[in-house]
Amino acid sequence: MPHTHIVRMSGDPRAAARQALIEAATRSQSVELCFTGTLDDVFEGDHHQDLTVRVNLRESVETVVARMREEAQNQQR
């Protein structure tokens, strides 16, 4: 099984998602996005450390950010 590439990003979640999608396209395979920062519009500034989601080829930035939000909600339960 091939090694999953991890893209570590912080700051703007949309920019992080965009960069992970570029990495996935460059590698022609899914990558893991490991994000540290806030998802401002959803969590009013709650800080997330190492929020990790899979990013698949040809997904939209919106899909990746939605997955980040879902994972953040799961972590808060």
Side-chain angles (χ1 to χ4, degrees), residues 30-41:
S30 298
V31 297
E32 295 285 327
L33 170 58
C34 185
F35 177 77
T36 297
T38 59
L39 303 175
D40 297 323
D41 57 332

Side-chain angles (χ1 to χ4, degrees), residues 12-77:
D12 176 11
R14 291 182 62 78
R18 196 172 302 113
Q19 184 60 42
L21 286 164
I22 290 168
E23 289 284 336
T26 299
R27 295 172 182 281
S28 297
Q29 66 180 32
S30 298
V31 297
E32 295 285 327
L33 170 58
C34 185
F35 177 77
T36 297
T38 59
L39 303 175
D40 297 323
D41 57 332
V42 174
F43 295 100
E44 300 169 302
D46 287 349
H47 185 81
H48 300 281
Q49 183 74 33
D50 297 332
L51 182 67
T52 304
V53 296
R54 177 170 298 282
V55 178
N56 299 307
L57 291 169
R58 294 181 286 283
E59 286 184 314
S60 69
V61 169
E62 291 76 20
T63 298
V64 176
V65 172
R67 190 174 299 121
M68 292 166 68
R69 291 175 180 153
E70 182 178 318
E71 180 59 26
Q73 287 177 334
N74 290 341
Q75 287 182 2
Q76 289 183 338
R77 290 185 185 152

